Amino acid sequence: MKRAIYPGSFDPITFGHLDIITRASKLCDELIVGVLNNKQKNPLFSIDERVSMIKELTENLDNVRVECFEGLLVDFAKEKDAQVIIRGLRAVTDFENEIQLAHANRVQYPQLETIFMTTSLKYAYLSSTVVKEFASYGGDISLFVPAQVIPLIEAKINNKEK
Ligand code: ADP
């Protein structure tokens, strides 16, 4: 049983994330989307909101589960008995940070392999930050996130501005 974890903040989930989830789910028996509850960051969406959005958008993928975690990824991987970490790469800027993290995780837990998946070209520019930036200026985000997520983002941003 090959169990992989795809960790991230997913604040909010984008088409780029969904593309990696769909492709990664074909490479393993079970894929856990690990939503990081990072107390240092000030997320737009609560952890429960992020988890429920991703659950809804991945319900057609039978071997995908969505869970939140806190603390170290290696501890979460041990707890879930996962052997693989999936990360997405968009550009060299991602690479520098990612390779450091992968090395650090391997030092901590040598049995855990990190696998990098290259972004689909059409999502190479896309990040949660870009989505929030465009949404905050009333831009069209329909090419960035699924339709059902758009009103949730707009409501959050309008609320913040009040
Ligand atoms: P971000 O805020 O950059 O979207 P996340 O922590 O939510 O960051 O990302 C989780 C993982 O998904 C990371 O490995 C990140 O590199 C990857 N990822 C994010 N957006 C894309 C994309 N458009 N294409 C491929 N991978 C992506």
Side-chain angles (χ1 to χ4, degrees):
M1 172 88 170
K2 280 273 172 254
R3 185 174 291 130
I5 296 178
Y6 175 43
S9 307
F10 308 105
D11 184 43
I13 184 147
T14 69
F15 282 132
H17 296 129
L18 284 168
D19 174 60
I20 296 285
I21 293 172
T22 308
R23 288 161 54 206
S25 71
K26 295 178 188 147
L27 303 176
C28 55
D29 297 307
E30 186 172 72
L31 180 70
I32 300 176
V33 180
V35 187
L36 178 63
N37 192 5
N38 187 343
K39 299 231 165 84
Q40 275 113 49
K41 281 195 187 167
N42 187 15
L44 187 62
F45 287 97
S46 72
I47 188 78
D48 292 340
E49 289 168 329
R50 281 177 276 151
V51 167
S52 90
M53 265 189 267
I54 305 170
K55 275 190 178 162
E56 199 186 317
L57 292 164
T58 57
E59 66 186 2
N60 58 325
L61 299 168
D62 291 339
N63 63 340
V64 173
R65 263 166 45 198
V66 188
E67 293 188 22
C68 67
F69 75 102
E70 266 177 7
L72 290 177
L73 179 58
V74 285
D75 292 337
F76 183 55
K78 281 180 196 165
E79 185 193 315
K80 296 293 160 190
D81 196 20
Q83 306 86 359
V84 176
I85 296 297
I86 303 279
R87 295 291 284 173
L89 285 183
R90 285 160 291 196
V92 271
T93 41
D94 275 346
F95 182 79
E96 276 186 44
N97 195 28
E98 291 293 336
I99 192 119
Q100 216 175 12
L101 273 175
H103 283 314
N105 287 338
R106 187 151 61 227
V107 169
Q108 295 277 333
Y109 185 18
Q111 296 88 332
L112 190 64
E113 283 294 346
T114 301
I115 295 188
F116 296 111
M117 296 187 66
T118 48
T119 177
S120 292
L121 202 51
K122 58 183 173 176
Y123 302 130
Y125 63 90
L126 191 51
S127 69
S128 299
T129 308
V130 163
V131 172
K132 285 181 272 194
E133 188 82 359
F134 267 70
S136 71
Y137 292 107
D140 178 7
I141 53 170
S142 62
L143 291 175
F144 302 165
V145 298
Q148 54 268 60
V149 175
I150 296 175
L152 306 177
I153 297 172
E154 288 174 348
K156 280 277 176 192
I157 292 210
N158 289 338
N159 244 334
K160 238 178 140 186
E161 281 166 3
K162 270 180 205 157

